Amino acid sequence: MRVGVPKEIKNHEYRVGLTPGSVRELTGRGHAVLVESGAGAAIGLGDEAYVAAGATLASGPDEVYRDAELIVKVKEPQPDECRRLRPGQVLFAYLHLAPDRRQTELLLASGGTAIAYETVTDVHGGLPLLTPMSEVAGRMAVQAGAACLEKSRGGSGVLLGGVPGVAPGRVVVFGAGTVGSNAAQAAVGLGAEVVVIDRSVDRLRRLDERFGNRIRTLLSTREHIENALHGADLVIGAVLVPGAAAPHLLGRGDLALLRPGSVLVDVSIDQGGCFATSRPTTHAEPTYVVDGIVHYCVANMPGAVARTSTFALNNATLPYVLELADLGWRRALAGNPHLLAGLNVHRGRLSCRPVGEALGLPWVEPAAALAAD
């Protein structure tokens, strides 16, 4: 199979779909890999490393999209990239379609096949291709939030870990999944007071077993949410409904419960955000202020630590890329129900129920989309 790796073009996105090591695995199995020149340069993966791994360099994205059967990316395709896709071509990347009608419509119009990292499942019901970036984003949420609390960045001037004789800051984490547990770990490591809120007692129980009295766990009720916000310095939104738009946990009126200069970090922003006042930001302009509260809503947070993120992501995606290339996308999807769960768009049909419900668009089951060819 001919596999293409374009350079990412989203704002301050330096990750790359395949590392030279992943390329070597593909070329060693007889596949041709076309990598856009400079695709990995920003994170120290130069063209020479890709050539040594057996890749062919492309001068630009047009060549990659023209010649490749399978496009492997990181972030969702931007409008110009969507328009380059063609019928019969397969895109494998993060898509996050539920809050993005424009991208959804462009992918449907392309006639291509789009498989979303974030809806591929595993035998345990987990999301194996979302997990590594959720781990990164959870830890980064505390790092970014701590920086935003600095007075020069509009924050209240609180040091999360405190110092002897001065109380630490309070971190409230909504969600006890992969993002939330990693955020809790990072916050505990800094010495902050940590509260985790989730609607699943089982998830809270697992966190309690892991952290003991170093954190507080609360069931998600309005009373608990409001009480936790009083005195919070950093609030992290880390909720996920697979494939669907994130639920809003805080309304604008809830901001009044926080001290001016407190910080909201919305890790759920890729799926529309879990705070009513959230809107996507970029690494170039990561924050804005609403009612005295600093909002950090960068939609590609792991891109800030692009080298770590790229290798972590490739560890998870490579087996699926190899499967798609070795078997061909049709056999791979037909033979692996967990990979099939990642099928979001196929030949003009939407094949992800949560996306269809979020956008009010007709959808079919992934198996039905394939069978309709």
Side-chain angles (χ1 to χ4, degrees):
M1 180 177 282
R2 297 187 302 278
V3 181
V5 182
K7 184 177 181 179
E8 299 291 326
I9 61 173
K10 191 179 179 80
N11 180 276
H12 282 260
E13 182 54 73
Y14 305 112
R15 289 173 288 181
V16 61
L18 293 175
T19 64
S22 295
V23 169
R24 185 176 178 182
E25 294 297 313
L26 284 161
T27 57
R29 297 181 185 220
H31 304 294
V33 182
L34 187 63
V35 178
E36 184 177 348
S37 180
I43 56 172
L45 303 178
D47 288 350
E48 66 282 357
Y50 284 102
V51 171
T56 299
L57 295 180
S59 59
D62 288 340
E63 186 179 349
V64 174
Y65 284 90
R66 183 192 68 209
D67 294 345
E69 300 166 87
L70 169 63
I71 300 292
V72 180
K73 277 178 45 62
V74 178
K75 285 305 291 177
E76 68 278 357
Q78 304 303 292
D80 286 347
E81 294 175 306
C82 290
R83 296 185 185 100
R84 289 188 172 100
L85 292 169
R86 64 177 188 275
Q89 194 170 50
V90 178
L91 170 68
F92 194 33
Y94 287 117
L95 299 180
H96 299 294
L97 296 179
D100 194 343
R101 176 177 287 270
R102 185 184 187 198
Q103 183 200 169
T104 303
E105 292 174 343
L106 287 171
L107 288 177
L108 289 169
S110 75
T113 298
I115 304 170
Y117 290 161
E118 71 272 11
T119 61
V120 172
T121 59
D122 62 22
V123 295
H124 306 293
L127 303 171
L129 306 190
L130 191 61
T131 296
M133 296 302 94
S134 295
E135 292 169 339
V136 171
R139 299 181 189 201
M140 278 197 66
V142 176
Q143 180 175 304
C148 291
L149 280 168
E150 296 174 10
K151 196 64 182 174
S152 61
R153 304 193 186 197
S156 60
V158 167
L159 179 66
L160 280 182
V163 293
V166 180
R170 175 185 291 182
V171 178
V172 175
V173 181
F174 288 105
T178 302
V179 173
S181 61
N182 277 270
Q185 177 181 330
V188 166
L190 286 177
E193 176 190 343
V194 181
V195 179
V196 180
I197 300 175
D198 197 280
R199 62 182 182 179
S200 168
V201 174
D202 287 337
R203 282 186 170 182
L204 295 176
R205 184 174 291 115
R206 287 194 291 271
L207 281 186
D208 185 73
E209 291 170 351
R210 177 178 175 185
F211 293 107
N213 61 9
R214 291 179 294 172
I215 69 170
R216 290 169 51 212
T217 58
L218 295 173
L219 188 68
S220 182
T221 66
R222 281 306 304 174
E223 180 180 13
H224 285 160
I225 288 172
E226 291 173 2
N227 288 341
L229 291 178
H230 285 290
D233 298 292
L234 170 59
V235 179
I236 296 172
V239 297
L240 172 70
V241 179
H248 281 173
L249 302 179
L250 300 184
R252 181 162 185 169
D254 291 317
L255 300 187
L257 300 174
L258 298 164
R259 288 196 304 267
S262 298
V263 175
L264 298 184
V265 175
D266 196 339
V267 186
S268 304
I269 195 65
D270 277 323
Q271 294 295 130
C274 61
F275 306 135
T277 47
S278 294
R279 57 177 171 79
T281 61
T282 67
H283 288 292
E285 297 183 39
T287 63
Y288 60 93
V289 178
V290 176
D291 297 343
I293 307 303
V294 180
H295 290 57
Y296 180 101
C297 304
V298 175
N300 58 330
M301 285 179 62
V305 287
R307 186 176 175 91
T308 296
S309 297
T310 292
F311 283 96
L313 182 59
N314 268 238
N315 288 343
T317 58
L318 179 59
Y320 297 93
V321 174
L322 292 173
E323 190 173 349
L324 288 165
D326 289 346
L327 299 178
W329 64 268
R330 186 175 294 278
R331 283 181 58 203
L333 290 172
N336 185 339
H338 302 295
L339 183 58
L340 181 62
L343 185 66
N344 278 209
V345 173
H346 179 61
R347 295 186 184 275
R349 298 181 184 89
L350 185 62
S351 53
C352 182
R353 177 177 180 172
V355 174
E357 291 179 344
L359 297 178
L361 295 174
W363 60 274
V364 297
E365 293 290 347
L370 287 183
D373 283 353

